[in-house]
């Protein structure tokens, strides 16, 4: 280092951002090499939350893995449940009752709203505005109350079962969802006045952290991140699972792939999710909520890769069954893990203030990155 | 003689008068009389500053809480958690004073003291009421701005001495920011000074007896002053030296206990001073309706500005450091030059 | 383009690539699955991406321990033409290594690091093949079936 100073008169500074830092969204460790405030090299260091989920999964029955899946992306557990049940169901060729399918869709879309609300709140904090956080949590609280009325849990739901869902909706759930949607729609406009149209917010996000279309595909981004770059890729449309092909909804996309586009895609997605929930509630009819499936399932030997559109992106599960009660291999393709990889490329040449703007806009959950 | 006094300032003037008579009767030298007078004022001021800091911290908590759908402190002390800040101060006093291992110990220790000096000196030349001013200097406003430049030094000292990269970045940022925003700050006040023709605080207040400068072309100066003033006291949207989400806590990351308390205290007293100057220069100072004591009118205006600053803080996101510089040098500075030009033309036309 | 045409096109270019057969008693594959010789995986992938089939999206890259051998499974997807493909490369269990596809898809970067971390499979040509999830100084490859978890200091 002293040699470098002698030769050039400058010293490169290495800054350890995290694993304890207010805005690395958990225990992400970023190794930044900096020239003043400008980053010359960035290396994300992950694994602080590694719990060996894939190894644990091999020691648990297919049904018990649903409970484990709650812990991947712990703020969107319903979507994880969804991914965890699709694989064994397809292997065993189970037809899920219609009512259960609609309930699943309602749950997953409510979860998408809840997850994007957390994004909205924490992104505000990353940029320096503290107040939106509380507004976002006010609405998220209502979703959690709805969840609590259905499955008793507020964070790790363990609600889906192979072949259906664990419990039927309580009588006040459907009116509750309806009133929530009616309440939530105007709030989205409130968020726009609070943050989206704020000149300082625009200044911080527009044109920052651009990801081109080609880059986004090359790095296999998914979810709002790839859609913000203008790629219309949504598993709900492209590889429709469950009953998503019955609903009428749009896929919001961005143009430039900058932080602001990623933000706006998520804000618009909440509107679309509200639409899906409304349609699903209309279609909800009395009936079975779970198919006739044994308590401990033994899917036939075989393998399958199933994926769902989780709030963060493509959540894939590659399961191999050897015909026993335990999965032989249970690979989880976490969207946050894949989306985070591009960070090392994006951060080069940005300022330290942009690090939090970019990192926040990718919207990661460390539980899913490290698994 | 005692006359019906409505105002604290009149009372103070009367007390000084009585004291002077008393000293003359006893034959006490002028020097001692002067020292006692100023000493009494200084003690009163110190009490006032401490109370102000407590009130401001409590106010910030309540204002932020109600903006964020919360209640804020509700239990400590009974009524709406009024004693929460007192409890916090006691907690800060009792905390361990940590100095990082490789810190520059003396600089680290001195920095919090240095930052408090400008906050104290600033109070001396603020006219709270007609006769209630520590020293009615003929360079009044210059004293405040001159001393407030010292605050940069202290923040930089604190940032450097802590031997931490985050504090260093915070210190560097604040040095850049406060120096570049000092220019528009001083220039925005210059409009008022030109209109009045004096730097003396009491002259400036007296000149607004009929109409506040806020309602004259000096309005533009007021806007510039509020923006630059917010940057000067490092509050959101210009809080990049602290920038919690980026730099953990900026220059004061490594401070704890009483020393951290000093940094926090100075932030609030500086906020008060900036608001007090705004009230004095643009909103008529202690001028007000005749039935209202001058100091009440003055404090009401000051707290209005303080509330404005708090409103900013809990609403706006944070600027990025380079955009902040752009905004300061490329927009605010030319605007304040334009303001001066405009005021000059206005003076030419009206006089 | 259906799976048969896809298979025909690929085997025409790479005769060594064959359709993989499910194990005895197992379900047939849900998507077109190909066995690729490990040594030529990078060439096959490069062609798949640029050679008209446009497999531009690497959805997942997983290691599998089949007890007698290791396997790397590539789940590919074409965003433009909307077709899927699964590639499998068998590896020797004792010295597992194969060319990296990081130069084909950047997305493989962390996937390959993870697979290396969990299975000890070496990806030749990877720019920074280091452990990614396990702690510093971790020994062994946890997802191998013969991995014995030692109690750590907290147990």
């Amino acid at each position: 280092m002293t040699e470098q100073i002698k030769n050039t008169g400058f010293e490169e500074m290495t800054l350890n951002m995290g694993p304890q830092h207010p805005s690395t969204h958990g225990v992400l460790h970023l190794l930044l090499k900096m020239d003043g405030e400008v980053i010359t090299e960035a290396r994300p260091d992950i694994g602080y939350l590694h719990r060996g989920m894939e190894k644990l999964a091999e020691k648990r029955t297919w049904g018990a893995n649903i409970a484990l899946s709650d812990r991947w992306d712990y703020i969107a557990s319903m979507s994880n449940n969804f991914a965890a049940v699709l694989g064994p169901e397809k292997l065993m060729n189970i037809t899920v009752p219609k009512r259960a399918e609609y309930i699943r869709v309602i749950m997953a879309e409510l979860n998408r709203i809840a997850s994007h609300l957390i994004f909205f709140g924490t992104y505000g904090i990353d940029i320096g505005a503290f107040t939106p956080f509380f507004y976002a949590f006010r609405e998220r609280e209502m979703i959690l109350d709805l969840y609590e009325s259905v499955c008793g849990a507020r964070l790790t739901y363990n609600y889906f079962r192979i072949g259906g869902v664990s419990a039927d909706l309580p009588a006040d759930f459907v009116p509750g969802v309806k009133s929530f949607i009616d309440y939530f729609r105007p709030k989205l406009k409130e968020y726009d006045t609070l943050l989206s149209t704020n000149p300082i917010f625009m200044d911080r996000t527009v044109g920052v952290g651009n990801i081109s279309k080609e880059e986004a595909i090359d790095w296999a981004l998914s979810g709002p991140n790839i859609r913000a770059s203008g790629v219309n890729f949504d598993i709900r449309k492209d590889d429709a699972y469950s009953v998503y092909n019955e609903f009428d909804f749009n896929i919001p996309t961005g143009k430039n792939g900058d932080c602001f586009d990623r933000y706006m895609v998520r804000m618009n997605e909440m509107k679309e999710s509200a639409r899906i929930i409304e349609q699903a509630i209309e279609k909800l009819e009395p009936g079975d909520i779970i198919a006739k499936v044994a308590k401990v399932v033994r899917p036939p030997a075989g393998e399958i890769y199933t994926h769902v559109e989780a709030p963060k992106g493509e959540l894939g599960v590659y399961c191999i069954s050897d015909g026993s009660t335990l999965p032989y291999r249970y690979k989880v393709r976490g969207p946050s893990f894949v989306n985070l990889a591009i960070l090392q490329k994006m951060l080069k040449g940005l300022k330290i203030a942009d690090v939090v703007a970019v990192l926040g806009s990718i919207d990661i959950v460390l539980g899913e990155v490290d698994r | 003689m005692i006359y019906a006094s409505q105002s604290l300032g009149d009372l103070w003037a009367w007390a000084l008068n009585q004291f002077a008579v008393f000293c003359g009767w006893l034959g006490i030298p002028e020097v001692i009389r002067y020292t006692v007078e100023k000493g009494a004022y200084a003690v009163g001021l110190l009490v006032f500053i401490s109370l102000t800091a407590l009130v401001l911290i409590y106010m910030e908590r309540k204002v932020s809480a109600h903006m964020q759908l919360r209640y804020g402190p509700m239990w400590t002390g009974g009524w709406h958690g009024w004693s929460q800040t007192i409890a916090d101060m006691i907690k800060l006093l009792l905390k361990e004073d940590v100095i990082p291992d490789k810190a520059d110990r003396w600089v680290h220790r001195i920095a919090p003291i240095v930052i408090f000096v400008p906050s104290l000196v600033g109070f001396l030349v603020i006219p709270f009421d007609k006769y209630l001013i520590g020293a009615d200097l003929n360079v009044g406003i210059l004293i405040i701005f001159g001393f407030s430049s010292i605050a940069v030094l202290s923040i930089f000292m604190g940032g450097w001495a802590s031997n931490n990269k985050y504090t260093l970045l915070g210190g560097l940022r604040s040095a850049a920011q406060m120096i570049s925003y000092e220019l528009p700050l001083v220039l925005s006040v210059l409009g008022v000074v030109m209109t009045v023709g004096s730097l003396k605080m009491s002259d400036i207040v007296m000149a607004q007896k009929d109409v506040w400068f806020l309602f004259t072309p000096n309005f533009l100066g007021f806007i510039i002053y509020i923006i630059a003033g917010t940057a000067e006291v490092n509050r959101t949207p210009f809080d990049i030296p602290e920038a919690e989400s980026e730099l953990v806590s900026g220059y004061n990351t490594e401070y704890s206990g009483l020393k951290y308390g000093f940094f926090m205290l100075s932030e609030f007293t500086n906020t008060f001073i900036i608001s007090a100057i705004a009230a004095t220069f643009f909103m008529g100072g202690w001028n007000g309706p005749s039935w209202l004591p001058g100091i009440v009118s003055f404090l009401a205006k000051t707290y209005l500005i303080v509330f404005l600053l708090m409103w900013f803080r809990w609403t706006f996101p944070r600027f990025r450091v380079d955009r902040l510089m752009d905004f300061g040098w490329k927009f605010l500075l030319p605007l304040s030059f334009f303001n001066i030009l405009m005021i000059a033309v206005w003076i030419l036309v009206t006089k | 383009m259906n799976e048969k045409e896809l298979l025909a096109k690929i085997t025409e270019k790479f005769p060594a690539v064959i359709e993989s057969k499910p194990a005895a008693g197992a379900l047939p594959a849900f998507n077109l699955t190909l066995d690729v010789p490990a040594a030529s995986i990078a060439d096959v992938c490069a062609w798949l991406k640029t050679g008209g089939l446009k497999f531009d999206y690497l959805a997942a890259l997983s290691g599998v321990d089949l007890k007698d051998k290791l396997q790397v499974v590539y789940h590919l997807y074409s965003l433009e033409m909307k077709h899927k493909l699964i590639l499998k490369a068998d590896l020797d269990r004792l010295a597992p290594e194969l060319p990296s596809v990081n130069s084909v898809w950047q997305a493989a970067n962390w996937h390959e690091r993870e697979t290396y971390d969990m299975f000890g499979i070496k990806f030749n040509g990877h720019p920074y093949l280091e452990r990614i999830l396990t702690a510093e100084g971790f020994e062994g490859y946890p997802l191998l079936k013969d991995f014995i978890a030692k109690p750590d200091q907290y147990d």
Side-chain angles (χ1 to χ4, degrees), chain C residues 56-100:
Chain C
D56 46 8
Y57 193 84
L58 175 70
L61 188 158
S62 356
V64 181
D65 181 9
L66 292 171
K67 289 191 178 131
D68 53 336
K69 63 187 177 190
L70 291 181
Q71 203 172 49
V72 179
V73 184
Y74 301 77
H75 289 89
L76 308 183
Y77 186 66
S78 170
L79 288 178
E80 201 183 315
M81 301 167 83
K82 312 274 180 206
H83 46 216
K84 293 180 189 170
L85 182 65
I86 301 171
L87 301 182
K88 288 184 172 181
D90 290 343
L91 303 171
D92 179 17
R93 204 168 194 288
L94 295 175
E97 56 178 324
L98 78 168
S100 162

Side-chain angles (χ1 to χ4, degrees), chain B residues 53-55 57-58 61 81-90:
Chain B
L54 287 182
V55 170
I57 294 172
Y58 179 72
R61 291 195 153 163
W82 65 272
S83 67
Q84 182 66 49
T85 32
I86 298 171
D88 279 351
M89 280 300 149
I90 294 170

Side-chain angles (χ1 to χ4, degrees), chain A residues 16 111 124 133 136 138 149 157 176 183-184 193 219 243 257 263 328:
Chain A
N16 285 297
N111 216 171
F133 187 77
R138 176 184 58 188
S149 74
Y157 311 113
Y183 166 84
F184 180 65
T193 49
W219 285 87
V243 285
Y263 168 85
Y328 185 79

Side-chain angles (χ1 to χ4, degrees), chain A residues 160-201:
Chain A
F160 287 29
R161 292 287 179 274
I162 294 169
V165 292
S166 71
D168 206 349
L169 303 176
D172 59 346
F173 182 84
V174 171
V177 170
K178 273 184 184 155
S179 66
F180 169 73
I181 299 283
D182 290 342
Y183 166 84
F184 180 65
R185 283 245 167 78
K187 294 294 169 199
L188 279 169
K189 288 199 187 83
E190 199 180 300
Y191 298 157
D192 283 349
T193 49
L194 191 61
L195 199 60
S196 317
T197 52
N198 187 309
I200 302 175
F201 178 76

Side-chain angles (χ1 to χ4, degrees), chain B residues 183-184 187-188 224 331-341:
Chain B
L183 286 170
L187 289 176
S188 67
I224 299 169
F331 179 74
L332 220 49
L333 194 62
L335 195 67
S336 45
F337 279 128
F338 169 75
N339 177 44
I340 291 171
L341 191 74

Side-chain angles (χ1 to χ4, degrees), chain A residues 14 21 23 37 126 131 203, chain B residues 165 173 245-246 314 323:
Chain A
T14 312
H21 187 278
S23 58
E37 287 235 356
D126 286 346
T131 309
D203 192 56
Chain B
K165 283 159 188 168
R173 280 180 172 195
S245 56
E246 297 153 27
W314 299 106
R323 302 289 299 166

